[in-house]
Amino acid sequence: MDNRSIGIFDSGLGGLTVLREIIKEIPDENIIFFGDTARFPYGPRKLDEVKKFALNIADFLYRQDVKLLVIACNTATASALTDIRGNFDIPVIGVIEPGARTAAETTVSGRVGVIATKGTVESKAYDIAIKKIDGKIQLFSKAAPLLVEYVENGILEGSLLDKAICSYLKPLFKENIDVLILGCTHFPLIENNIKDCCGKQIRVISSAIETSKDIKNTLVKFDIKNEGKFKPQRIFYETGNSSKFFSVGRMFLGEKIKEVVRIDLKI
Ligand code: DGL
């Protein structure tokens, strides 16, 4: 039994979609969530810069004595997973491998699409992860930066959003994909809108459920699960000043976020 917290981070609110699944899968765990809202968005930045930010946050969370780190951001996973694993002596879980695995298990035609940030698409992290699982699967990628902006600004419905979704997906439809990976942790917040545009022929998957299963298995493997005698604690940090944590958090987590602590991280 280990009652230390799980540390989880994203550039902003998107990581809450992963947190939601973690809470469902392992409700007894204490959580420290970190949103780097001051340096959001990560997607258009150079991967080296994102890596620096991600290492910086991982170091902060490590110093809060977390027992496991979750990189709840595809762009940060693409740029920093290997380095974070190399620098810290606790288990580190990213979101790309679990999403690629689900896609590979789901596709029938072997033609998979992914929408993600520019950084994730350019890193080719999904191509590499999919090829490792099954060399025959073809991956088609599309960067969808506007969707990240909509979600982070709390715009989760409306015709402008739907139009943007469909125009990003059009080139992927032309490739006859039968599975679409939501390769950005912001996108499950608009999953229904994306599903509406995809229709019934395309299965839409996000990595959050698989990621939370990986986390549970890792806690069991290292014998570091919490026993759940006390109500679990959830602590929220952010670097910016985004009151959206409260509204989106309540809507999405189904529980009230009472406090978000603002913190400055110096690099
Ligand atoms: N949520 C992030 C991801 O999964 C990125 C959003 C951003 O900062 O651009 O890639």
Side-chain angles (χ1 to χ4, degrees):
M1 126 102 180
D2 187 337
N3 65 2
R4 288 178 300 160
S5 299
I6 293 175
I8 153 167
F9 74 91
D10 179 39
S11 58
L13 296 162
L16 294 177
T17 63
V18 182
L19 177 57
R20 176 173 70 170
E21 297 306 328
I22 295 176
I23 290 174
K24 276 192 212 157
E25 188 74 27
I26 37 176
D28 294 333
E29 295 297 330
N30 295 310
I31 304 282
I32 302 178
F33 183 93
F34 191 105
D36 196 7
T37 46
R39 301 185 286 198
F40 170 89
Y42 282 2
R45 294 178 187 271
K46 292 216 162 59
L47 287 175
D48 267 355
E49 189 182 27
V50 176
K51 189 197 286 186
K52 220 160 57 182
F53 295 166
L55 280 163
N56 189 217
I57 298 166
D59 182 58
F60 170 79
L61 290 169
Y62 185 76
R63 282 187 285 108
Q64 308 299 304
D65 198 26
V66 297
K67 61 182 173 185
L68 181 143
L69 262 176
V70 182
I71 312 177
C73 172
N74 288 263
T75 319
T77 301
S79 63
L81 178 65
T82 313
D83 290 76
I84 294 178
R85 281 194 172 144
N87 279 2
F88 301 96
D89 58 359
I90 50 173
V92 182
I93 292 178
V95 283
I96 290 181
E97 202 274 328
R101 204 191 316 136
T102 317
E105 281 162 7
T106 311
T107 182
V108 176
S109 67
R111 300 176 75 82
V112 172
V114 61
I115 46 171
T117 65
K118 184 170 165 279
T120 301
V121 169
E122 286 178 2
S123 75
K124 300 228 173 286
Y126 272 99
D127 307 63
I128 295 163
I130 290 259
K131 282 278 170 274
K132 250 194 209 161
I133 300 164
D134 183 345
K136 289 193 287 297
I137 295 176
Q138 279 186 279
L139 185 79
F140 304 93
S141 311
K142 181 78 190 153
L146 207 55
L147 303 187
V148 180
E149 294 291 339
Y150 278 131
V151 170
E152 191 71 16
N153 287 309
I155 301 168
L156 307 179
E157 54 187 13
S159 61
L160 278 180
L161 173 69
D162 291 342
K163 236 173 134 178
I165 290 172
C166 289
S167 77
Y168 282 130
L169 291 180
K170 218 169 161 187
L172 299 179
F173 294 160
K174 282 197 184 135
E175 301 294 349
N176 290 320
I177 58 164
D178 68 348
V179 167
L180 175 73
I181 306 172
L182 305 184
C184 171
T185 53
H186 280 64
F187 296 166
L189 282 154
I190 48 169
E191 188 165 348
N192 286 337
N193 319 52
I194 293 173
K195 279 184 174 159
D196 283 348
C197 180
C198 282
K200 290 205 165 55
Q201 309 302 326
I202 298 172
R203 291 279 303 274
V204 175
I205 56 169
S206 84
S207 56
I209 295 174
E210 281 300 303
T211 303
S212 60
K213 284 185 192 153
D214 281 9
I215 296 165
K216 187 178 183 178
N217 293 338
T218 307
L219 295 178
V220 172
K221 183 174 153 200
F222 288 94
D223 196 19
I224 51 172
K225 271 186 84 185
N226 193 16
E227 230 166 43
K229 270 195 202 148
F230 304 102
K231 194 174 180 288
Q233 256 199 333
R234 317 224 197 275
I235 299 172
F236 294 84
Y237 287 102
E238 72 165 328
T239 49
N241 227 332
S242 158
S243 55
K244 285 171 209 87
F245 260 104
F246 297 104
S247 51
V248 177
R250 174 188 275 251
M251 188 189 75
F252 207 70
L253 294 178
E255 59 182 70
K256 199 171 166 194
I257 295 178
K258 290 188 202 85
E259 192 192 5
V260 181
V261 182
R262 212 193 152 270
I263 182 148
D264 256 329
L265 283 192
K266 303 265 181 292
I267 293 196

